[in-house]
Structure formats: structure tokens, C-alpha cells
Amino acid sequence: MNVNRMPLIDALKAIGSQLIVLHHLAAYGPLANAAQLLVPGTIGWFYDYARIAVQIFLVIAGFLAARGMSPQGGALTASPWPLIARRYLRLAIPYFAAIALAIAGAALADVWMDDESIPARPTLAQLAAHALLLQSVLGFDSLSAGLWYIAIDFQLFALMTLLLWAGRWAGRAEWLILAMAAGSLFWLNRNENLDIWAIYFFGSYGLGAAAWWSGDRRRAAAWLGIIAGVALAALFVDFRLRIAVALAVALALGLGRRSGLLERWPDWPIVAFLGRISYALFLVHFPVCLLANALFVRLGLHAPGTALAFMAMAWAASITVATLFYRWVEKPAASGRIAAALGLAPGKA
């Protein structure tokens, strides 16, 4: 058995990525408008609730960050800056490739239809802001749906790295993570004006880190109790479905690690495949869906049933493009070759 494989995480990522694609299909363009006439309840559900699947990725990211940097909950002794730089490089290559696809897809879609979902032609300042992962912070429109998450993921990783490093002076590093997570859950996550910053999402990320630390059998019950107690108290103060989902995912990971199910179940090839390409799917699906909408308009189609068929084809095409993107761009060996050709040397993060 490959000890690095975690089928439960593969399954969660597979489910989450598919829901995000369906959310964007239900949220943008004439396909969603036409299909809603036939199945308004289904389209409405995907529009309102499927986006909450992003909590799955936030919790998993925190879980894996704790596994990589603080497996026993201790402080980070090495300098945090090389880790943060390597994380940026690891994200940057597929991220930049996805931006190129998004720009090309938007340019072609703009020829075939006039719709507010098509991003405007980027300016140099907008491209620079995206390159720095600061597009939302600096007030620029995103060039593709989902790119905001990459910026937040980088912020979260950098913040956790710095907190673990600060743990050398503050005592128990894991308590710094828990304190920041609690602050987010009780206060910061309740202010939607902060949703361009990592602190807004750190509650879910911190729950993921705590879920990893709960796998230590000597203190598993204590950590699982902390996860449940802090999150439930925050939900009592202000119920948010996104936090309830994050709590459920964190408990599933913590219990899965403690029981051994994390490494054993569900061991299904299709789930493992969809989990592997989930990040690629997250990056590339929007321009594919945009082109499906544009083709629908170009062909002069209007029927709700036809719109549903186009949505299904866009979904399948997104998975196909994501598979190719994973194979030739995102896969570590592929991104390593691209980095080498560009004179870069990304490490593991």
C-alpha cells in the first residue's frame, strides 16, 4: 500500500470539485437561465448550496499543512520563508497556465455571445495583481471563477507557516493555530467584508489542522473534543452552514485517521482519479463552461432540454480538459519540467 495515499481525502476532493463545477454551471450564462425553466429546484440548489463545497478544500488544506509542517503539533524550527516561496512556485505554474486558458476562453466566448459572465480583456495591472495572488486584495476583477481560492490558499499556508514559526517563542505552536481558528470562527468569519483575507477562512483551515493532530492516539479524544466544542460554540453564536460543513469534514478526517479508514476507504479507482485531478478541474472548468454557453448562443438554441444537455457536455468536457491539464501541467513531474524550462526550481510544499 502507498502510505502517502489517503482514499478518504481523494473521495472528499472528488465530491467537492464536482459540486464546484455544477455550482458554476448553475450560476453563469444562458445555459443556467434556460435550464432553470425545466428544473428550477435543481439549478437553484446547485446555485445556493454547491459552492459550500469549498469548505472541503479548506479543511483538507489545513489537514495536509499540519501533516507536512507540524506532524506532532510542534513549532516550526526552520525559516518559514523558503517554505512559503516553494508553496508559491508549486501553485504558480498550473495557476498561470489556467489564467492563459481563461483569457483565451473569454476572448473566444466574447466573439459568440454578449454576457456579463465573460471577464473583460485583462490590463497589465490586473495581470500583475494576479501574478502576486493579490487580485481581490487590490480590487481587480478575477480573470476566472475559482482563482480567488488559489490566492486564499496561499495566504492560509503563509499564515499557518508563520504561526508555527512563532510557536518557538510562544510555547505550544498548535495553540496558536487553535487561537487564530477560534478568532476566525467566532468573529472574523462573521464579517463578509474580510472574505478577501485568510483570516476569514482560517477557522475551517485550523479545524483541518486540529483534525490531523487528533490522530495522535494519546490525545485523540481531547483534540476531537476541542474541534467539536469550539465549532459548535461558534455555530451557537451564529449558525453558518459553511462552518457546519467544515466541522463535519474535520471530524470525518480526524476519526478516519484515528480508525485507519483514512488510508483504506473508499479504495475505488474512479474516486482516486477524480480526486487526483480535482485541483486541475478547479482551475480549468470555468473557461470550458463559458465556451459551452457561447456555443449554445452561437447555434441559436433556446430549449431548456437542450440547455441541460449542453450543461452535461460541459461537465464532461471539463473533466476531460482537467485530465489533460493534470497530465501535462499540474502533475509534479510535468510542472517540474516546465519549471526547469523557465529556470525555476520548485520544491515540495
Side-chain angles (χ1 to χ4, degrees):
M1 177 185 294
N2 183 351
V3 296
N4 292 316
R5 270 206 64 216
M6 290 180 275
L8 181 57
I9 285 183
D10 285 342
L12 290 170
K13 288 164 64 177
I15 293 168
S17 61
Q18 302 305 314
L19 286 173
I20 293 296
V21 174
L22 292 170
H23 166 68
H24 286 144
L25 279 169
Y28 298 107
L31 287 177
N33 295 332
Q36 192 169 28
L37 298 174
L38 187 62
V39 284
T42 301
I43 297 298
W45 188 92
F46 282 124
Y47 178 82
D48 290 330
Y49 296 109
R51 60 184 173 179
I52 297 174
V54 75
Q55 296 296 321
I56 295 173
F57 294 98
L58 291 167
V59 174
I60 289 174
F63 184 86
L64 295 178
R67 177 197 184 211
M69 292 190 292
S70 180
Q72 305 302 322
L76 183 65
T77 57
S79 171
W81 309 114
L83 288 174
I84 293 171
R86 286 198 294 270
R87 181 64 177 175
Y88 174 84
L89 289 175
R90 177 69 185 95
L91 291 172
I93 292 172
Y95 172 74
F96 291 149
I99 288 175
L101 285 176
I103 293 172
L108 182 55
D110 195 38
V111 174
W112 289 348
M113 73 173 179
D114 181 15
D115 192 89
E116 62 182 10
S117 63
I118 302 175
R121 182 176 299 177
T123 65
L124 287 176
Q126 188 179 17
L127 289 171
H130 277 73
L132 296 171
L133 297 172
L134 293 174
Q135 62 269 26
S136 297
V137 172
L138 296 177
F140 290 99
D141 291 334
S142 179
L143 293 171
S144 182
L147 293 185
W148 69 270
Y149 176 82
I150 313 306
I152 290 296
D153 177 87
F154 179 68
Q155 284 188 38
L156 287 166
F157 182 87
L159 178 56
M160 182 164 175
T161 304
L162 293 172
L163 287 172
L164 289 173
W165 187 53
R168 298 188 304 168
W169 300 283
R172 299 292 293 272
E174 66 266 43
W175 292 111
L176 283 179
I177 303 300
L178 186 61
M180 177 59 75
S184 177
L185 290 170
F186 282 97
W187 295 287
L188 302 170
N189 185 258
R190 297 167 62 194
N191 182 353
E192 293 188 357
N193 292 325
L194 297 175
D195 67 357
I196 60 175
W197 299 101
I199 54 176
Y200 179 84
F201 300 95
F202 200 84
S204 300
Y205 199 81
L207 288 177
W212 172 263
W213 293 323
S214 73
D216 185 340
R217 292 184 177 274
R218 296 168 298 176
R219 50 181 182 170
W223 272 107
L224 288 171
I226 289 170
I227 292 171
V230 170
L232 288 173
L235 289 171
F236 179 78
V237 170
D238 181 5
F239 182 82
R240 288 145 287 166
L241 181 58
R242 60 183 180 271
I243 301 303
V245 170
L247 171 60
V249 174
L251 290 175
L253 292 177
L255 292 170
R257 185 175 178 226
R258 186 181 182 189
S259 66
L261 285 178
L262 183 70
E263 294 86 10
R264 298 198 308 266
W265 183 87
D267 195 14
W268 303 329
I270 184 62
V271 171
F273 165 73
L274 292 174
R276 279 196 304 274
I277 69 165
S278 60
Y279 180 52
L281 182 63
F282 197 84
L283 287 174
V284 306
H285 75 274
F286 184 70
V288 175
C289 296
L290 199 61
L291 288 172
N293 275 276
L295 183 60
F296 182 75
V297 171
R298 175 68 174 175
L299 295 176
L301 303 173
H302 305 282
T306 305
L308 277 177
F310 263 68
M311 291 175 81
M313 288 188 291
W315 186 10
S318 295
I319 294 173
T320 301
V321 174
T323 302
L324 296 173
F325 190 89
Y326 173 79
R327 172 67 179 84
W328 296 106
V329 178
E330 193 235 326
K331 194 174 181 180
S335 62
R337 288 192 296 270
I338 295 171
L342 295 173
L344 303 173
K348 295 181 180 179

